[in-house]
Amino acid sequence: MPETLVLLHGFGGTHRTWDPVLPELDHERYNPLVPDLRGHGTKAGVRPISFDGCVTDVLAAAPDEFVLCGYSLGGRVAQHVALAAPKRVMRLILVSTSAGISDDPARAARVAEDERLADELTRMSIEEFADLWMANPLFEATPAEASRWWREDLLRSDPIALAEVLRMIGGGAMVPLWDRIGTLTMPVTIIVGGRDTKFIDYAERFAQLLPQAEVRTIGGAGHGLPREAPRELAGLIAGTEG
């Protein structure tokens, strides 16, 4: 019987983030479950937008035992899920993510940056947000064809809701989990793009703290792994590629 594989998307996306990855998975091994996170897509109107709320949604939708994979913001939510219900998460896969900003001045700067963007979002159309977000240097390696459907996915959310996401569960708002993450004992795979320097550093920090962690790098890729390298990502999720 296939294992349930819960896949959590990043900021601004929806469950459709995983569309390029799903066909590459072994469906005899995995039964994918791809929810929208609060403040995104079909859950744009669900409140409160909080890590606890997102954890509640995931645990309510998932079976008693499941494999959990989160990308970027979804990876931070996935860590909260694993810490809340460690006996239910059989394996944890963290893609292009971190456990928060532990340096106080850096976190304060990120709070200010997120607040500035959130304020801009309240005055933007969703089309303007899509153009702004796709121009982020973090995503410069996105292939042209992937950019087309990625923009379509970004248009499925609401800028007002995304502004609240930034304020409530953004990178600055999140209380760092580095001092708690080492309590997780399930196998953990950390996946990062070879060009994603900032998140390579985070991956190495995860590896030092997690007792059963392995780091896997997709050479030549940046931050947007589900759209930049879906086949390679699917292989690493399944543990069949090195």
Side-chain angles (χ1 to χ4, degrees), residues 152-214:
E152 292 177 359
D153 192 34
L154 292 170
L155 296 179
R156 295 184 177 100
S157 291
D158 174 77
I160 301 297
L162 293 179
E164 189 166 350
V165 169
L166 282 173
R167 290 177 170 133
M168 304 306 296
I169 58 173
M174 176 176 160
V175 176
L177 299 176
W178 296 109
D179 62 345
R180 298 177 58 200
I181 205 74
T183 64
L184 297 177
T185 58
M186 73 284 290
V188 182
T189 303
I190 315 297
I191 305 174
V192 66
R195 298 175 60 253
D196 199 6
T197 306
K198 176 180 177 181
F199 286 85
I200 289 173
D201 291 342
Y202 286 136
E204 293 172 350
R205 189 172 180 185
F206 276 124
Q208 292 171 359
L209 295 172
L210 288 159
Q212 293 199 63
E214 59 176 2

Side-chain angles (χ1 to χ4, degrees), residues 5-7 18 29-30 67-72 74-76 78-79 82 89-98 181 184-193 199 202-218 225 232-242:
L5 169 64
V6 178
L7 296 161
W18 299 102
R29 178 178 177 185
Y30 289 124
V67 177
L68 179 60
C69 175
Y71 161 66
S72 199
R76 293 189 278 116
Q79 292 168 65
V89 179
M90 298 297 97
R91 180 170 167 241
L92 178 63
I93 305 147
L94 302 176
V95 181
S96 305
T97 196
S98 83
I181 205 74
L184 297 177
T185 58
M186 73 284 290
V188 182
T189 303
I190 315 297
I191 305 174
V192 66
F199 286 85
Y202 286 136
E204 293 172 350
R205 189 172 180 185
F206 276 124
Q208 292 171 359
L209 295 172
L210 288 159
Q212 293 199 63
E214 59 176 2
V215 176
R216 293 291 181 262
T217 302
I218 299 178
L225 293 181
E232 295 88 341
L233 179 56
L236 292 175
I237 288 171
T240 58
E241 292 191 7

Side-chain angles (χ1 to χ4, degrees), residues 72 133 135-142 196 198-199 222-224 228:
S72 199
W133 194 241
N136 189 318
L138 197 63
F139 307 120
E140 63 182 2
T142 306
D196 199 6
K198 176 180 177 181
F199 286 85
H223 189 73
E228 290 182 43

